[in-house]
Amino acid sequence: MATYTPPLRDMQFVMHEVLNVVADFATMPVHADMDVDTINAVLEEGGKFATDVLLPINISGDTESCKLDAVTHEVKTPTGYKEAYAQYIAGGWAALACDPEFGGQGLPLVVNQCFYEMMNSANQAWTMYPGLTHGAYAALHTHGTDEQKATYLHKMTSGEWTGTMCLTEPHCGTDLGLMRSKAEPQLDGTYRITGTKIFISAGEHDLTENIIHLVLARLPDAPPGIKGVSLFIVPKFHVDKDGSIGARNSIFASRLEHKMGIKSSATAQIELEGAVGTLVGQPNKGMQGMFVMMNAARLGVGNQSLGLTEVAFQNALAYAKDRIQMRSLSGVKAKDLPADPIIVHPDVRKMLLTAKAYAEGGRALMCFSSMLLEKEHYHPDEKVRKDSGELLAMLTPIVKAFITDNGHISTNACMQVFGGHGFIKEWGMEQFVRDNRINMIYEGTNTIQSLDLLGRKVLGNNGATLKKFGKLIGALVAEEGVNEKMAEFITPIAVLGDQMTKFTTELGFKGFQNPDEVGAAAVDYLRVAGHLVFGYFWARMAQVALKQIAAGDTDPFYVAKLQTARFYFAKLFPETATAMRTARAGSKVLMDTDAALT
Amino acid sequence: MSRFQVKKVAVLGAGVMGAQIAAHLANVKVPVVLFDLPAKEGPKSGIVTRAIDGLKKLKPSPLGVAEDAAMIQAANYEEHLEQLRDCDLIIEAIAERMDWKLDLYKKIAPFIAPHAIVASNTSGLSITKLSEVLPEAIKPRFCGIHFFNPPRYMLLVELINTPTTQPKILDDLEAFVTSNLGKGVVRAKDTPNFIANRVGVAGMLTTMKEVENFGLSYDVVDDLTGKKLGRASSGTFRTADVVGLDTMAHVIKTLQDTLSIDTDPFFASFATPEVLKTLLEMGNLGQKAKAGFFKKVGRDIMRFDLDSKEYVPGGQKADEVYTRMLKKPAGERLQLLRNSEGVQGQFLWAILRNAFHYAAVHLGTIADNARDVDFCMRWGFGMKQGPFELWQEAGWLTVANMVKEDIDAGKALCNAPLPDWVFNGPVAHAGGVHTAAGSWNPTTGQFVPVRSLPVYTRQYFPENVLGSDAPSAATAGTTLHEYEAIRLWTLPGADADVLIASIKTKMHAIGPGVVEGLVQAVDMAEASFKGLVIWSNDEMFSAGADLQAMLPAFMVGGVKAIDAAEAEMQQAMLKLRYANIPVVSAVRGLALGGGCELAVYSAKRVVAMESYIGLVEVGVGLVPGAGGLTYIARRAAENAATSTGKDLLPFLTEGFTAAAMAKVGTSALESRKLGYLLESDVIVPHKDELLFVALAQARAMFDSGYRAPNKRPFAVVGRSGVATIKGSLVNMRDGGFISAHDFHIASLIANVVCGGDVDAGSLVTEEYLMMLERQAFCSLLNHPKTQERVMGMMSTGKPVRN
């Protein structure tokens, strides 16, 4: 069975030493008195919850998976899931970062995100149940009426009720404009919704007494396509005026999917048979509300892969130190053992460091993004709110696609470290690979993310947002550019930053002439942009480590950080050269291939 | 007082320098006779005629236009000495042998006109010693005139007097060399190698010594000591390769022969470097031998490795961290380099420290003042800043103490202390050697102002050193309007009657801001001034339309957006041309594409000798779109109208070819040959006299009753012309000389300059042709091959051939 140690030291390093989040909180009235100790204490407890409660039921949950009763339409989650959820509620974990107005604890989003990272490491599939609730909570919090908020948000905050996002239908996934579910207005101002939704995570389960579905559907007079989609709240059970549970709504799970991974997460097909719902936001503007959920969810998906990358790394590292096999190429290392531990081998180290560098770089980006989200909503200065929102919009597809792709690379590498044992279920390594695989697909496939990045976020405003990130790099170069010790970290990002401008202009120009060029280059482009962002954070982390070492701090953590930074720039960052080259190879070799694709 | 006139010049010695000096005289329309020894075989002046022929092949070209080689008269000492009697100036530039020079002086003495100035271009010998053999009557008219190679391009000329040189002679010569030859004059003392070569060559030698000390490779050193350090882009070792290692060795030998440890405490560092000896022994003399410090093998640049005596792969660059250090403000920069832990940084500090040390120790003996040293290094060695300027900018006493510490610690090249004036007295008090009152002369203990010869009143914004508080052209005068892209202003006093427009954008690219500013300038000038002069105080008139700025509009609005922008530029050009006051373009350096169009739509052009004008749009797959082609068609019609022949086409061919092949004039003279300047335009040898002349021209035109040209239709050759031109283009394409896309672009150009699908002799308006221009421009912008060229240019800066 896999083991897990919450990476509290590294989280503290990123939050307090690299990003100095407390200084940011001081500028935001809602968090003005937030301090380092509070944050650390919460995460320490959160780490225990993940390790003690969620980790033990990860493999068993995967084996057992969920069961649907075809008659009652009820779903039974694996053994221990319900109990774990009860502990989750009892510990107040659901309310961590929610609005105090609805009973939340009002902690910063970055704390919640770190907590979620640990839950994802311990058990991604279980974490889906509370995770989805957060997206629904955010959509209602932003677009719901006062009455809707009063009715639902308290229980969603406490976690007593969970939420879902019902978008996908059998014939429409990525392209929601094709949606068919209908919403008929009723005289009492409610709507009766009919249709079939598939791939609904946490769509039905036995963890809570009620499930609050957010459902996209068309009004009778809706214009065709994406501009005719409205958002509705459809509870599993009606909620009476006094807040008590009422009658069963006609929304049912009709099937559970059999999946490659996250098997203990109930992925339901949902039938709405004239289910009663209320409208959220304006008619036909359902995507606005949904985008709030999707953006939160996309960040959440990146965080899932971050968790898997971390836990896979920890287990592979332990195994590589323990497993003895063959001798080092450069001579015997462990004389008193019959063979050397496999960590002596360069490529084993490369696999381990790949996961470590992607985990720690990903953590820095995740925390930075959470802080942007926080500032977008709670910073008193309007300009900071706007800038943070724009920068986050550009980083969101990178968080989603780059971190999940890296998770794929990392969990596979870590499984590889185990050799044949990695392929055996009881070690847990193959489950990390399987669980991660969906992260590259749902909430917009990674190709969709790359099109979003290049087409909308970058070229859509002629690179203006990209320049904002360029300014961050520029500031770091101005600060550390002449520090010889930092040169190995600064030069690569300064050079890539310059190349990026030309590269982007070139793709923009090509894309104007032939939009397929954008499609052909986007995935490569996202890899380059991802490394630019990771490179920036690795340089900042190296900067802190160097300062601490220079100041006489002997904590080996900083030496490790520096070594990992060097590994990252030497072995992972250069992927950018290949990616730019393949992007520049253009669309012709893809589009002139009709014969090859017959 | 009679004016010193130079009607004819004799240059003695048709070697590399003599011939090129003669060529430069031809460039500025000074009749010149070039002498050398009589040939033993064949025509007696054969040595000189061969040298003149050689000028046409030399790169970079010493001649503005190759055919001007014919303006140089060939002569030899046996047959033509009589001709010396007509010469007002005789420049001796024969081999650096004291005995040969003295023999020659004796031989020519009887033929020298009684008023003529005799000057030697020696770079190493004592001018005073040379003068001693001359008759007493000539001695007062004898001096040194030291040009730098290549003389057409290097700004510096050192003038050196002897104890017997008459001061007025030197003043007269300085005026001639400045205004007529366009050079920057520095007066040097008669000390070995004068100022520039003394400091410069010592700098190269000590740099080579530090390269050995720090164990750096030549490619890295060149990257560190080139543009990034504010020096010539060829750095240290490629410069040596270009100059020739034998020449280098010769200059070093002069230094070794004429100096000693008593006259120069740095003497021990002047030993010929081991690597130079080795390369000389191998016969690898640099570029001319195709091998030196570097050797080109196929596409790769290999560098010499002294240990193995082999060429190994080169092209290694400096660490970027030092590039970034070199971009910091001077004070911080020097601190960073000095405190650097890496060898590249330490090396840079060492060579800068050596330069400060050397310049300070020798200032009193080799130059009149510190400004002259800085000018010499800028004008003669292509440095952006001389040693004193950098020192002063970085903080005088701070740097002085840094240098002193190094000397005391034995890190400097010698233990000669910095002179006392560095630390005590006026310099220390003023924080540097350059002040508003002038630059430091350690001998007199004074700050010496710039020489005030009448010729310098023609330079409104002369070159100046940091710290001299000279007025900057960017802020001088009265600003009437200032925008991000352009400044509209006037000079005070007598010049306040002409409006000046100075473009401020990067490369002086013409975007919407510039166009609006120029339109406003014409309105203002028509209302209240005698004329409008378009001028900027740097090496760039305008590199053309701002493609980068157009790109966002194009990506959002497509061709339509660009069509409108083009139409606006065309309207602005017509506004300049038909303004009721004269618009004068003062051109210097690049005037490409839109910059060329701006110039040709002005009423007159005043052009610095070193100007490079052309319509280069074809390079990025476009056609001139701001009236350039319309100009070509109109000029052809105007020229044809003055001839008796009826056929218009021959008059069109040259202009068509220039645009279709993106030809750029390599000088003002060649730009005129291409048709971008008129005979009536004024070519100015000295860049800093440009504004003076342009203002005078504008005022004179206005005072002569300037009227805008009549707007009248003119004849075009029409479809038959298009067919004829296309016929020859087909041959070029089928012969593989031009690509299919070149053919397409050239056909579009032909269509515009011929007036499109009309009968021969049809009368058309400028507006009609401009519409054809826009159509061609916009259709190309949508063409994938053009887009490939634009993108290629933007991402690599090099034209794409497709």
Side-chain angles (χ1 to χ4, degrees):
Chain A
M1 194 186 104
T3 60
Y4 176 63
T5 308
L8 297 172
R9 176 69 182 91
D10 200 56
M11 288 173 173
Q12 290 162 7
F13 171 75
V14 169
M15 282 189 290
H16 308 314
E17 297 178 63
V18 179
L19 300 178
N20 195 3
V21 295
V22 171
D24 269 344
F25 293 141
T27 64
M28 290 182 259
V30 286
H31 298 309
D33 45 8
M34 186 56 51
D35 60 67
V36 171
D37 289 344
T38 308
I39 294 171
N40 292 353
V42 169
L43 289 179
E44 200 180 330
E45 285 307 308
K48 283 180 193 160
F49 175 76
T51 316
D52 299 344
V53 180
L54 299 184
L55 187 66
I57 52 174
N58 190 33
I59 295 183
S60 59
D62 182 73
T63 309
E64 200 181 325
S65 80
C66 296
K67 305 277 187 303
L68 172 71
D69 185 322
V71 180
T72 62
H73 301 294
E74 296 297 322
V75 167
K76 186 175 179 312
T77 55
T79 310
Y81 272 44
K82 197 169 174 171
E83 292 74 11
Y85 194 83
Q87 273 183 267
Y88 175 78
I89 305 289
W93 292 111
L96 209 58
C98 293
D99 188 346
E101 191 189 334
F102 303 102
Q105 298 175 34
L107 260 76
L109 295 167
V110 71
V111 177
N112 197 51
Q113 166 238 309
C114 285
F115 173 56
Y116 262 77
E117 183 206 312
M118 295 187 285
M119 291 202 291
N120 287 325
S121 286
N123 193 334
Q124 173 175 326
W126 184 92
T127 308
M128 297 287 291
Y129 295 98
L132 264 296
T133 312
H134 270 283
Y137 165 90
L140 276 183
H141 193 267
T142 314
H143 291 284
T145 63
D146 288 345
E147 193 188 335
Q148 286 168 332
K149 288 184 190 177
T151 309
Y152 298 106
L153 282 185
H154 291 278
K155 296 276 175 122
M156 289 173 81
T157 296
S158 68
E160 288 165 83
W161 298 347
T162 60
T164 72
M165 295 163 59
C166 300
L167 287 71
T168 307
E169 296 181 7
H171 59 282
C172 82
T174 298
D175 188 357
L176 291 173
L178 301 172
M179 183 168 298
R180 286 179 197 152
S181 292
K182 289 180 300 192
E184 296 283 344
Q186 307 298 306
L187 291 173
D188 63 356
T190 62
Y191 296 81
R192 282 199 176 269
I193 300 154
T194 305
T196 301
K197 296 283 176 181
I198 61 164
F199 297 169
I200 307 308
S201 296
E204 184 55 71
H205 58 75
D206 55 1
L207 304 183
T208 55
E209 57 177 2
N210 202 359
I211 299 172
I212 312 305
H213 300 276
L214 287 188
V215 180
L216 285 180
R218 290 184 177 286
L219 292 169
D221 55 351
I226 197 77
K227 288 176 180 161
V229 172
S230 305
L231 182 64
F232 301 89
I233 304 179
V234 184
K236 177 177 171 186
F237 289 95
H238 290 297
V239 180
D240 292 337
K241 285 249 158 62
D242 61 355
S244 62
I245 298 285
R248 181 77 163 88
N249 204 351
S250 42
I251 177 166
F252 302 103
S254 57
R255 160 192 165 90
L256 285 186
E257 305 295 346
H258 299 279
K259 310 187 296 293
M260 172 184 179
I262 54 164
K263 293 188 180 202
S264 58
S265 164
T267 307
Q269 176 167 319
I270 299 281
E271 307 293 341
L272 295 110
E273 294 162 359
V276 177
T278 55
L279 183 69
V280 180
Q282 299 298 309
N284 302 327
K285 298 276 166 77
M287 289 312 288
Q288 284 180 358
M290 210 37 95
F291 267 120
V292 174
M293 291 175 70
M294 279 199 292
N295 282 329
R298 284 174 178 178
L299 294 176
V301 173
N303 206 22
Q304 291 180 322
S305 282
L306 171 58
L308 293 177
T309 304
E310 172 68 34
V311 70
F313 163 69
Q314 288 188 13
N315 285 279
L317 176 63
Y319 188 82
K321 285 178 178 169
D322 184 57
R323 172 76 169 173
I324 56 166
Q325 204 75 187
M326 312 265 296
R327 287 294 184 187
S328 158
L329 296 172
S330 57
V332 174
K333 295 291 184 292
K335 288 194 186 73
D336 39 358
L337 293 175
D340 286 331
I342 59 171
I343 200 165
V344 301
H345 298 296
D347 195 60
V348 171
R349 286 170 175 252
K350 186 181 171 199
M351 290 188 281
L352 293 170
L353 285 165
T354 297
K356 184 173 166 72
Y358 276 146
E360 293 174 9
R363 187 169 296 123
L365 172 59
M366 276 311 313
C367 290
F368 182 77
S369 301
S370 292
M371 290 306 292
L372 287 178
L373 191 59
E374 194 85 56
K375 286 185 229 175
E376 182 188 5
H377 290 296
Y378 300 116
H379 201 282
D381 184 339
E382 191 189 329
K383 189 174 180 313
V384 175
R385 288 202 299 273
K386 184 167 173 289
D387 286 350
S388 302
E390 284 170 7
L391 190 52
L392 181 62
M394 191 201 79
L395 290 177
T396 298
I398 295 175
V399 167
K400 200 280 177 178
F402 195 63
I403 296 181
T404 61
D405 281 348
N406 293 345
H408 184 63
I409 294 167
S410 303
T411 53
N412 271 289
C414 292
M415 182 176 111
Q416 192 78 7
V417 169
F418 279 72
H421 296 284
F423 203 61
I424 306 299
K425 192 169 167 58
E426 67 186 52
W427 287 93
M429 298 307 286
E430 56 87 41
Q431 191 187 337
F432 299 141
V433 176
R434 285 189 287 108
D435 285 353
N436 182 78
R437 197 60 189 79
I438 188 61
N439 300 346
M440 301 155 75
I441 298 171
Y442 60 17
E443 296 307 334
T445 67
N446 285 1
T447 300
I448 291 293
Q449 301 301 323
S450 66
L451 287 170
D452 179 46
L453 175 70
L454 180 57
R456 287 181 55 215
K457 306 287 171 59
V458 173
L459 297 177
N461 58 12
N462 283 309
T465 316
L466 185 68
K467 281 193 190 119
K468 276 192 188 148
F469 195 80
K471 273 193 186 161
L472 291 179
I473 294 176
L476 186 62
V477 173
E479 189 186 335
E480 291 287 358
V482 295
N483 179 348
E484 287 163 298
K485 292 202 171 69
M486 279 293 288
E488 58 182 317
F489 311 118
I490 293 294
T491 301
I493 56 171
V495 170
L496 184 64
D498 286 347
Q499 289 173 341
M500 197 71 175
T501 313
K502 284 177 181 170
F503 181 52
T504 306
T505 311
E506 190 182 322
L507 293 178
F509 211 95
K510 274 189 179 173
F512 182 78
Q513 159 193 340
N514 176 7
D516 276 342
E517 289 291 342
V518 173
V523 169
D524 291 321
Y525 186 88
L526 190 138
R527 286 304 294 174
V528 181
H531 277 298
L532 186 66
V533 171
F534 267 41
Y536 168 75
F537 286 111
W538 267 114
R540 283 187 62 178
M541 293 193 284
Q543 178 189 30
V544 174
L546 279 171
K547 276 187 186 154
Q548 288 304 116
I549 291 168
D553 195 323
T554 54
D555 187 346
F557 177 86
Y558 297 111
V559 180
K561 192 59 84 175
L562 214 49
Q563 288 173 350
T564 312
R566 292 203 175 104
F567 166 81
Y568 171 75
F569 279 107
K571 295 286 190 185
L572 300 180
F573 187 86
E575 182 195 348
T576 51
T578 318
M580 280 196 276
R581 198 163 164 180
T582 49
R584 285 187 159 121
S587 67
K588 194 169 155 51
V589 290
L590 305 172
M591 306 316 284
D592 293 358
T593 49
D594 288 350
L597 295 175
T598 45
Chain B
M1 196 174 90
S2 71
R3 186 139 49 102
F4 173 68
Q5 294 184 64
V6 179
K7 290 184 175 166
K8 194 173 185 180
V9 175
V11 177
L12 312 182
V16 180
M17 283 304 284
Q20 289 197 78
I21 292 168
H24 189 59
L25 288 159
N27 288 338
V28 295
K29 296 195 289 196
V30 174
V32 54
V33 45
L34 179 60
F35 280 86
D36 210 311
L37 297 169
K40 297 205 172 80
E41 288 168 23
K44 281 273 160 70
S45 297
I47 293 174
V48 176
T49 43
R50 275 193 298 279
I52 294 171
D53 280 345
L55 286 172
K56 296 180 208 166
K57 289 170 219 136
L58 214 55
K59 293 280 163 202
S61 175
L63 289 158
V65 276
E67 50 269 43
D68 275 359
M71 305 301 293
I72 305 170
Q73 202 183 327
N76 64 75
Y77 305 129
E78 189 179 307
E79 297 174 305
H80 304 117
L81 285 180
E82 280 295 331
Q83 293 194 19
L84 284 179
R85 295 189 197 278
D86 301 335
C87 294
D88 309 291
L89 171 63
I90 297 166
I91 298 171
E92 172 271 307
I94 70 167
E96 297 282 37
R97 285 271 298 268
M98 184 65 96
D99 50 342
W100 292 1
K101 288 193 195 261
L102 296 183
D103 278 352
L104 180 64
Y105 293 176
K106 281 181 202 155
K107 196 191 281 181
I108 62 168
F111 301 93
I112 297 171
H115 68 283
I117 298 176
V118 182
S120 174
N121 181 52
T122 181
S123 58
L125 303 179
S126 161
I127 302 294
T128 308
K129 280 215 177 108
L130 286 173
S131 78
E132 280 163 8
V133 46
L134 291 167
E136 286 305 317
I138 298 177
K139 275 186 186 169
R141 289 179 275 124
F142 181 77
C143 63
I145 182 168
H146 185 211
F147 287 88
F148 284 73
N149 192 16
R152 174 184 156 190
Y153 300 96
M154 297 305 286
L155 188 60
L156 182 62
V157 169
E158 288 170 319
L159 294 183
I160 307 100
N161 64 312
T162 73
T164 49
T165 310
Q166 206 178 49
K168 181 178 179 301
I169 288 293
L170 230 48
D171 289 351
D172 286 344
L173 190 58
E174 180 163 347
F176 170 74
V177 171
T178 303
S179 199
N180 294 74
L181 301 189
K183 298 289 136 193
V185 170
V186 167
R187 300 276 185 100
K189 293 188 183 178
D190 191 11
T191 50
N193 288 19
F194 313 126
I195 302 173
N197 276 348
R198 175 75 173 272
V199 177
V201 174
M204 283 183 86
L205 273 172
T206 56
T207 298
M208 290 187 190
K209 202 173 161 64
E210 298 291 3
V211 169
E212 280 175 25
N213 290 348
F214 286 99
L216 292 168
S217 67
Y218 309 128
D219 42 6
V220 171
V221 171
D222 272 10
D223 192 36
L224 285 169
T225 59
K227 270 204 163 137
K228 291 172 182 169
L229 193 58
R231 297 186 176 181
S233 58
S234 46
T236 302
F237 294 102
R238 195 159 68 79
T239 302
D241 274 354
V242 171
V243 169
L245 301 191
D246 49 344
T247 310
M248 272 288 295
H250 179 80
V251 179
I252 292 168
K253 188 162 185 311
T254 312
L255 211 67
Q256 291 164 347
D257 290 349
T258 50
L259 295 172
S260 69
I261 191 73
D262 301 322
T263 52
D264 194 325
F266 294 79
F267 189 75
S269 304
F270 297 158
T272 309
E274 199 53 41
V275 59
L276 191 59
K277 276 188 211 158
T278 309
L279 286 168
L280 288 169
E281 277 164 22
M282 294 169 76
N284 294 354
L285 305 181
Q287 206 170 62
K288 57 189 160 192
K290 301 212 165 9
F293 286 103
F294 299 103
K295 182 179 179 179
K296 203 170 173 194
V297 179
R299 284 184 157 195
D300 301 322
I301 306 283
M302 312 281 280
R303 70 174 165 81
F304 186 66
D305 176 64
L306 182 58
D307 293 337
S308 63
K309 298 193 172 47
E310 306 261 344
Y311 286 87
V312 298
Q316 207 188 321
K317 298 277 181 211
D319 285 348
E320 288 285 329
V321 65
Y322 303 105
T323 309
R324 292 191 289 266
M325 284 187 189
L326 289 175
K327 285 182 186 161
K328 292 283 176 185
E332 190 185 348
R333 189 190 320 152
L334 295 190
Q335 290 284 4
L336 284 166
L337 294 175
R338 185 158 187 257
N339 298 334
S340 166
E341 290 170 11
V343 285
Q344 297 183 14
Q346 290 170 12
F347 161 77
L348 284 171
W349 162 249
I351 63 170
L352 292 172
R353 175 202 62 216
N354 295 344
F356 300 145
H357 189 190
Y358 194 83
V361 167
H362 289 293
L363 172 61
T365 45
I366 63 172
D368 175 67
N369 62 69
R371 179 180 52 242
D372 288 348
V373 173
D374 282 344
F375 277 161
C376 277
M377 298 321 290
R378 269 158 54 170
W379 301 348
F381 277 80
M383 293 186 181
K384 263 199 167 148
Q385 255 185 339
F388 289 116
E389 286 179 286
L390 174 58
W391 181 345
Q392 181 163 347
E393 190 185 1
W396 185 262
L397 279 177
T398 313
V399 175
N401 283 318
M402 282 155 60
V403 175
K404 182 178 185 300
E405 274 171 35
D406 278 17
I407 298 171
D408 294 346
K411 290 181 186 164
L413 287 176
C414 71
N415 59 8
L418 290 175
D420 185 55
W421 58 260
V422 171
F423 297 99
N424 299 303
V427 170
H429 183 70
V433 289
H434 302 308
T435 67
S439 294
W440 181 246
N441 175 331
T443 313
T444 62
Q446 306 273 321
F447 291 106
V448 184
V450 178
R451 268 189 317 288
S452 58
L453 294 176
V455 68
Y456 291 117
T457 60
R458 298 166 59 85
Q459 300 184 6
Y460 283 170
F461 297 98
E463 295 230 5
N464 59 74
V465 282
L466 178 129
S468 65
D469 282 347
S472 152
T475 51
T478 308
T479 303
L480 301 173
H481 287 286
E482 176 139 20
Y483 308 102
E484 214 179 312
I486 199 166
R487 175 176 180 238
L488 309 179
W489 59 292
T490 57
L491 280 167
D495 286 310
D497 54 357
V498 177
L499 182 65
I500 304 169
S502 297
I503 301 175
K504 290 161 55 185
T505 50
K506 194 178 170 196
M507 309 278 278
H508 297 181
I510 302 175
V514 174
V515 171
E516 280 169 38
L518 287 173
V519 167
Q520 186 184 6
V522 171
D523 288 336
M524 286 166 63
E526 282 184 333
S528 343
F529 295 93
K530 286 186 170 181
L532 170 66
V533 166
I534 305 171
W535 172 84
S536 310
N537 194 24
D538 54 19
E539 290 290 347
M540 176 85 57
F541 180 68
S542 168
D546 189 352
L547 268 183
Q548 201 98 41
M550 279 174 147
L551 207 61
F554 174 65
M555 290 212 262
V556 175
V559 201
K560 262 190 195 160
I562 300 301
D563 187 81
E566 284 296 313
E568 245 170 72
M569 270 181 75
Q570 292 175 337
Q571 285 309 310
M573 296 297 172
L574 290 175
K575 177 137 184 144
L576 294 178
R577 175 165 159 76
Y578 293 105
N580 237 330
I581 40 85
V583 176
V584 176
S585 276
V587 180
R588 167 184 164 201
L590 295 179
L592 304 178
C596 173
E597 288 166 322
L598 193 54
V600 299
Y601 275 83
S602 301
K604 190 167 207 140
R605 285 136 299 275
V606 170
V607 185
M609 180 67 203
E610 293 307 326
S611 292
Y612 317 106
I613 308 176
L615 294 169
V616 295
E617 286 83 350
V618 172
V620 287
L622 292 167
V623 297
L629 298 181
T630 302
Y631 165 81
I632 289 170
R634 176 171 59 77
R635 282 293 302 151
E638 285 168 4
N639 285 336
T642 61
S643 94
T644 49
K646 282 179 187 158
D647 193 2
L648 185 54
L649 192 58
F651 292 95
L652 197 58
T653 319
E654 194 137 342
F656 165 78
T657 314
M661 296 181 65
K663 284 188 184 176
V664 177
T666 55
S667 64
L669 298 167
E670 203 184 66
S671 302
R672 178 152 69 193
K673 238 178 86 182
L674 293 178
Y676 299 128
L677 300 178
L678 306 182
E679 281 300 325
S680 55
D681 290 336
V682 181
I683 295 176
V684 181
H686 200 293
K687 62 188 176 60
D688 293 333
E689 293 184 4
L690 203 60
L691 181 59
F692 170 83
V693 178
L695 290 169
Q697 286 289 334
R699 187 177 305 112
M701 288 166 82
F702 181 88
D703 290 342
S704 317
Y706 182 81
R707 296 286 309 165
N710 281 325
K711 204 165 170 44
R712 67 174 74 153
F714 49 87
V716 288
V717 288
R719 66 179 75 85
S720 64
V722 179
T724 310
I725 294 177
K726 266 193 169 174
S728 59
L729 289 173
V730 166
N731 289 335
M732 289 173 76
R733 182 193 59 193
D734 294 350
F737 298 104
I738 58 173
S739 71
H741 194 49
D742 286 331
F743 172 81
H744 177 61
I745 300 168
S747 303
L748 288 172
I749 292 178
N751 191 59
V752 178
V753 297
C754 294
D757 189 18
V758 295
D759 291 336
S762 298
L763 295 180
V764 299
T765 61
E766 286 171 309
E767 283 80 0
Y768 165 76
L769 288 179
M770 285 179 164
M771 180 202 69
L772 294 184
E773 267 185 27
R774 288 202 306 275
Q775 282 175 356
F777 189 92
C778 290
S779 81
L780 281 169
L781 208 49
N782 260 345
H783 197 293
K785 291 236 177 240
T786 286
Q787 293 179 348
E788 233 175 273
R789 287 191 189 187
V790 172
M791 248 153 37
M793 183 60 87
M794 283 193 302
S795 51
T796 65
K798 287 179 192 140
V800 177
R801 287 275 150 244
N802 60 2

